[in-house]
């Protein structure tokens, strides 16, 4: 089963093979971690593996570009795929196994089951990308049940996704602990993302404006400015910086994603942004300092 | 934890306690079976326990009258509940543990996750009871994930439910084998059901007409009569016998539940019926002899 290439990671493509490896480790008394990804790995993903290795003994990474979470006109077909490179990075990061199933292993003919988390998915990226989180909920439910891991790590970059996954794992009693891992940023503040590679050099120079605008708005809200005003200013700043369209800049409670109207917020709050730059759609989020403390 | 009453079964009400018991057994190398029920047990349920004991070493029965699978105006609040009697029956049948959670253990505040199986749920009871199978899919996904059993047994009396559960377990990669158990019938052919106790003596005398009508229609279809005609005659026979309303009499493929138009059917087929008698809604199903063989 092990890959032949130097630096390659053992790779399996069938659920049965994944389970056999995981159950073997568990039978030895080892704890198993899971880091689901869509590939096109960067340091942010590798930090998920590192986080999983803090909590468990063996880490399974998955690479699956899940068609059900992409909408019409989104970048499913062009999403970057380079499994050999990704596998070498995962091996170096300390992962023990790569699960990279073909689409037909995940969605065989006759597949008919949907998973939907209501409420949390209505706002932010859920409003901007209808059906996206239904696809996420579906594939993550599958991956968690397939791997039977003790813990699974997801990045806080996709904060809303993390909230949705925590909710569904709790609601459906999936016996895997869900862990979040902090956002990794480039030196200029841009949150690491596979989609950053869509940016031209010129756009890449503009991109850090997203983190800057969110940071400024968060500081203003912490200082008592009305969230709606601070967010509107941040959105205007993004347009002025060269972003093509702003899906949202929004201040929400960290756990419930309920809208925050008062400043400073009474409970832990975050500011969320999503905006289009060239052919990339960039998202970011960060805490409102001191909120709810 | 063990109940004090003679003949009582050890009963747990929290998922954590259920998991601790099941994991203890698994750590001893024992296989664990699950038989989900809504209580109001009859011999049919006890046969599910017997079936589970054929496949596994320890059987957990669950009793949970799941509010999310009842529609407005259905019998959720009046559904018969007698846990002490049910527990004694389960102990005698050989079950080792009863999981009987309160509603708030299953659906705590903030619960937000739906599970939906499309296609299979559009027809038959899915058409007659909108949302019913969404509730079934939701609670069964939970029970399977809670128990982490090796196998779970469901009755063929609820054939469509069994098909939905097989589908969702496969689609969501729930690592529990789904087993069906044959319908148990009274001496006069009436399929055993908790809802039979709603029948007056007079209605009870009429009730076997359902199995008789389905048996006759199945024989006619096996003999080459058009399914639509045979089913229409069966429905008319139910009305004539004293059933108040017929939700459906329908001939469908056994696995896909696709409609069957040709006679004799090319693939395994069953005839399904649902009809109201007094305040009971009775359902039944049986195979079309020789279909698809």
């Amino acid at each position: 089963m092990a890959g032949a290439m130097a630096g390659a990671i053992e790779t399996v493509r069938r659920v049965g093979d994944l389970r056999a490896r995981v159950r073997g480790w568990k039978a030895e008394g080892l704890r198993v971690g899971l880091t689901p990804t869509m590939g096109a790995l960067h340091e942010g993903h590798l930090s998920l593996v590192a986080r999983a290795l803090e909590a468990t003994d063996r880490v399974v990474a998955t690479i699956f570009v899940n068609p059900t979470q992409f909408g019409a006109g989104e970048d499913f077909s062009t999403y970057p795929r380079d499994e050999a490179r990704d596998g070498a990075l995962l091996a170096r990061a300390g992962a023990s196994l790569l699960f990279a199933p073909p689409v037909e292993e995940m969605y065989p003919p006759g597949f008919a089951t949907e998973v939907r988390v209501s409420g949390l998915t209505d706002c932010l990226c859920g409003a901007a990308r209808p059906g996206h989180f239904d696809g996420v909920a579906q594939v993550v439910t599958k991956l968690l049940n397939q791997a039977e891991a003790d813990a699974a790590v997801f990045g806080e970059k996709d904060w809303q996704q993390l909230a949705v996954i925590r909710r569904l794992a709790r609601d459906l009693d999936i016996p895997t602990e869900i862990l979040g891992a902090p956002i990794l940023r480039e030196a200029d503040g841009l949150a690491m993302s596979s989609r950053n590679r869509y940016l031209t050099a010129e756009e890449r120079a503009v991109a850090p404006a997203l983190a800057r605008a969110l940071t400024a708005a968060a500081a203003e809200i912490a200082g008592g400015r009305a969230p709606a005003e601070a967010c509107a200013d941040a959105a205007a700043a993004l347009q002025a910086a060269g972003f093509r369209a702003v899906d949202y800049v929004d201040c929400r409670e960290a756990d419930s994603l309920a809208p925050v109207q008062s400043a400073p917020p009474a409970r832990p709050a975050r500011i969320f942004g999503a905006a289009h730059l060239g052919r990339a759609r960039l998202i970011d989020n960060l805490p409102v300092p001191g909120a709810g403390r």
Side-chain angles (χ1 to χ4, degrees), chain A residues 31-90:
Chain A
R31 278 173 58 84
V32 179
L34 183 74
T35 58
T37 82
M38 298 206 303
L41 303 183
H42 51 68
E43 280 179 58
H45 295 105
L46 305 181
S47 77
L48 306 184
V49 176
R51 177 73 190 87
L53 281 170
E54 288 170 18
T56 61
D57 306 299
R58 294 285 182 277
V59 171
V60 178
T62 77
I63 297 180
F64 182 63
V65 185
N66 173 39
T68 72
Q69 73 190 67
F70 286 80
E74 290 187 351
D75 55 349
F76 172 68
S77 60
T78 58
Y79 197 87
R81 290 161 171 90
D82 187 349
E83 187 183 299
R85 175 185 166 280
D86 289 342
L89 290 172
L90 289 168

Side-chain angles (χ1 to χ4, degrees), chain A residues 124-125 128-129 238-239 245-249 273-276 281-283:
Chain A
L124 303 175
C125 284
R129 304 179 68 188
L238 293 177
Q239 303 262 17
V246 179
D247 280 350
Y248 58 79
V249 176
H276 297 261
R281 180 178 181 276
L282 302 183
I283 68 173

